[in-house]
Amino acid sequence: SLRDIKVSDSAGTLNKLFEQLVPVIEQKKQDIETTPFPLIDTILRSPKFCTKMKYDVTVTLPLSGKKFNAPYSYVNGRTNLIKPQTIKSFDSAEKLAAEGEIIKHKLDSQLIVIPRITMPEPDAVKNICEFFSIMNVPCYTEDTIDALYEKIEHEAHEV
């Protein structure tokens, strides 16, 4: 239950509380802003999935030696790297698809892309998803993401 308390230095106490609480609030705000896909992040880190997922997985791409980071990963006989990505141009989609091919052929893993397509062309979403499909990189949009969640739920091994 709540109780009243008497404070001798109300301004000082209020400032001290403010100093303690504001950095926490700012940090949470920053975390949300740096997670470009907050709903996906919340779902894939939920109790339903957390025993089946690995988080912030980094692999080194053969040939280029480049570090490739996937925020989510699960295993169903092979490692599946899940990469939500904002796609601003066809070039960025081509680069990601090429990395997906390298991951598949050299690391025996599968890249799964969840694109947020910000290109202005009317058929951009359809064309980018078709492109990933041709390149054998599974692509899930916000309209089809539930199928990915179901796939993980049914196929993923416990970590």
Side-chain angles (χ1 to χ4, degrees):
S1 68
L2 298 173
R3 294 185 311 155
D4 291 334
I5 59 169
K6 195 170 202 171
V7 178
S8 58
D9 178 16
S10 59
T13 303
L14 191 57
N15 284 335
K16 196 180 281 186
L17 276 171
F18 184 79
E19 287 171 14
Q20 290 173 346
L21 294 174
V22 169
V24 171
I25 292 167
E26 288 299 315
Q27 180 63 44
K28 290 229 181 272
K29 184 177 172 190
Q30 187 179 17
D31 287 350
I32 289 167
E33 288 172 356
T34 58
T35 304
F37 297 81
L39 180 58
I40 293 167
D41 191 68
T42 299
I43 291 170
L44 291 179
R45 291 181 187 274
S46 71
K48 182 177 184 178
F49 292 105
C50 69
T51 60
K52 299 177 176 196
M53 304 294 296
K54 287 185 180 176
Y55 301 101
D56 300 316
V57 175
T58 300
V59 297
T60 302
L61 296 178
L63 310 174
S64 70
K66 178 185 169 200
K67 300 285 183 205
F68 183 90
N69 180 265
Y72 318 100
S73 173
Y74 72 95
V75 174
N76 65 349
R78 77 175 348 168
T79 299
N80 294 271
L81 303 170
I82 302 173
K83 180 84 169 177
Q85 181 77 45
T86 299
I87 305 287
K88 298 178 181 177
S89 69
F90 206 83
D91 288 346
S92 62
E94 287 176 330
K95 179 176 177 272
L96 193 55
E99 291 170 337
E101 282 292 297
I102 291 168
I103 287 166
K104 178 180 262 176
H105 293 289
K106 294 291 187 179
L107 299 177
D108 195 30
S109 297
Q110 177 70 59
L111 174 63
I112 297 171
V113 176
I114 304 172
R116 173 181 291 139
I117 299 164
T118 60
M119 297 162 50
E121 293 82 2
D123 290 334
V125 172
K126 179 178 147 297
N127 291 344
I128 292 294
C129 290
E130 185 177 343
F131 172 72
F132 279 121
S133 175
I134 290 167
M135 300 300 286
N136 297 309
V137 175
C139 173
Y140 294 89
T141 63
E142 63 182 49
D143 294 337
T144 61
I145 191 81
D146 288 343
L148 176 60
Y149 299 145
E150 286 178 30
K151 183 178 180 66
I152 295 168
E153 187 178 356
H154 297 311
E155 295 180 7
H157 302 168
E158 295 285 321
V159 181

